[in-house]
Amino acid sequence: MADPTYTPPKVWTHDAENGGRFASINRPTAGAREDKDLPVGEHDFQLYSLATPNGVKATVMFEELLEAGFSDAEYDAWTVNIGDGVQFTSGFVDLNPNSKIPTMLDRSGDEPVRVFESGAILMHLAEKFGAFLPTDHTRAEVLSWLFWQVGSAPFIGGGFGHFYAYAPEKYEYPINRYAMETKRLFDVADQRLARSQYLGGDEYTIADIATFPWLAPFVTGGIYNDAKTFLSIDEYEHVGRWAREILDRPAVRRGRIVNKAWGEEDEQLLERHSAADFEGKKI
């Protein structure tokens, strides 16, 4: 056990022995650790991801575009197992210097364009296809909720999720601190969804696509052990209504299993190159 009376040194240094579950990959430096290219498929859009909440944003967006009839949104999705450090290979770092999933290469124009950060990927695709992002006066509302989600995710994941479920020791202060913030964020969403069907208003948009993968797993009890009970998630009835409605969308059911590398085999799709890849999968 770490000393609860820990006093920070004058100058911090990295200790590879600490860090718990992610100690083997976390370092205080950026850049490639291995010279290796990424696989490339035939479609204009190449997605390198994992079915974490941030990764699901991108795959759901692609599947929603295809569901809406945008055939040019066909994509190749490649699983990046962050536990194995694939995000630190030279090919991945060339696309995302921050070494985080998801990242994407758009080859549909005259020059290839890299897009990293999940919110940027959603905006890029929404603007490219003219879908799920309004152009009227409600655009600002949608973007406000999108960036609300992007800004709040670290409190839920790296904050609550890490200290409650992943940290090698359990300490009361950080768990209380981030449990409080996570519940506050749920209350923000719940109050908004009491007044509108979706976060941005009456239409389903990238604000919902971004937020759903973070909030819905708490509603279903599929994230951070027994976090649903610990945080009394059933209190947020409007978030629950919204999450269940989105869970029923065919594109969401497909997008949730793309690049998924855990759970039942019929709920995993490590690579996605066409709609036929979903055959035999539980969606």
Side-chain angles (χ1 to χ4, degrees):
M1 292 291 289
D3 183 357
T5 61
Y6 167 73
T7 301
K10 184 175 182 180
V11 177
W12 183 87
T13 57
H14 177 234
D15 184 351
E17 298 300 317
N18 295 328
R21 178 174 173 178
F22 305 103
S24 64
I25 61 172
N26 286 342
R27 300 179 189 177
T29 55
R33 303 176 189 172
E34 178 185 359
D35 188 15
K36 185 176 181 180
D37 293 333
L38 290 173
V40 178
E42 66 179 35
H43 298 301
D44 285 340
F45 298 99
Q46 301 295 304
L47 181 70
Y48 303 93
S49 190
L50 187 67
T52 66
N54 283 333
V56 167
K57 297 177 191 177
T59 50
V60 166
M61 181 64 174
F62 273 115
E63 294 298 328
E64 289 284 11
L65 288 168
L66 292 168
E67 186 78 12
F70 295 98
S71 58
D72 289 346
E74 277 291 353
Y75 68 108
D76 294 290
W78 307 90
T79 294
V80 174
N81 193 326
I82 58 176
D84 294 340
V86 177
Q87 68 274 31
F88 300 112
T89 60
S90 58
F92 193 95
V93 173
D94 283 346
L95 293 185
N96 186 350
N98 196 39
S99 292
K100 302 290 184 181
I101 59 94
T103 195
M104 182 185 77
L105 183 66
D106 177 356
R107 306 183 300 178
S108 63
D110 293 335
E111 295 290 337
V113 175
R114 72 178 187 183
V115 190
F116 58 92
E117 292 296 323
S118 58
I121 290 173
L122 294 184
M123 280 196 66
H124 179 82
L125 293 173
E127 291 177 338
K128 190 173 194 71
F129 290 97
F132 305 112
L133 178 59
T135 56
D136 62 11
H137 66 282
T138 63
R139 178 183 174 89
E141 184 77 11
V142 170
L143 292 179
S144 293
W145 285 106
L146 172 65
F147 286 101
W148 169 80
Q149 189 284 316
V150 171
S152 65
F155 293 98
I156 298 176
F160 173 76
H162 179 80
F163 286 105
Y164 181 72
Y166 300 140
E169 298 93 16
K170 296 289 189 289
Y171 287 121
E172 182 178 8
Y173 177 79
I175 291 175
N176 285 344
R177 168 69 178 88
Y178 290 112
M180 178 180 66
E181 181 63 8
T182 299
K183 286 183 69 66
R184 189 191 71 80
L185 292 167
F186 264 82
D187 197 41
V188 170
D190 201 62
Q191 291 189 38
R192 169 59 177 171
L193 292 167
R195 300 192 300 272
S196 63
Q197 183 176 4
Y198 298 108
L199 288 170
D202 296 331
E203 295 183 8
Y204 174 74
T205 68
I206 57 174
D208 303 289
I209 294 173
T211 307
F212 164 83
W214 278 103
L215 300 193
F218 285 90
V219 172
T220 61
I223 196 170
Y224 305 140
N225 304 329
D226 59 348
K228 176 180 179 178
T229 300
F230 182 73
L231 297 176
S232 302
I233 295 300
D234 286 342
E235 294 177 355
Y236 307 103
E237 58 180 289
H238 303 292
V239 172
R241 180 270 306 165
W242 166 86
R244 286 186 287 271
E245 287 181 7
I246 295 176
L247 276 167
D248 284 340
R249 297 178 69 92
V252 172
R253 294 199 299 269
R254 294 195 302 271
R256 292 180 73 206
I257 72 168
V258 177
N259 299 140
K260 188 178 180 184
W262 56 87
E264 299 297 325
E265 187 174 349
D266 62 357
E267 296 178 351
Q268 299 179 30
L269 188 60
L270 294 180
E271 294 182 11
R272 190 271 188 213
H273 305 291
S274 75
D277 293 330
F278 292 104
E279 294 179 4
K281 297 298 179 180
K282 185 179 179 181
I283 54 176

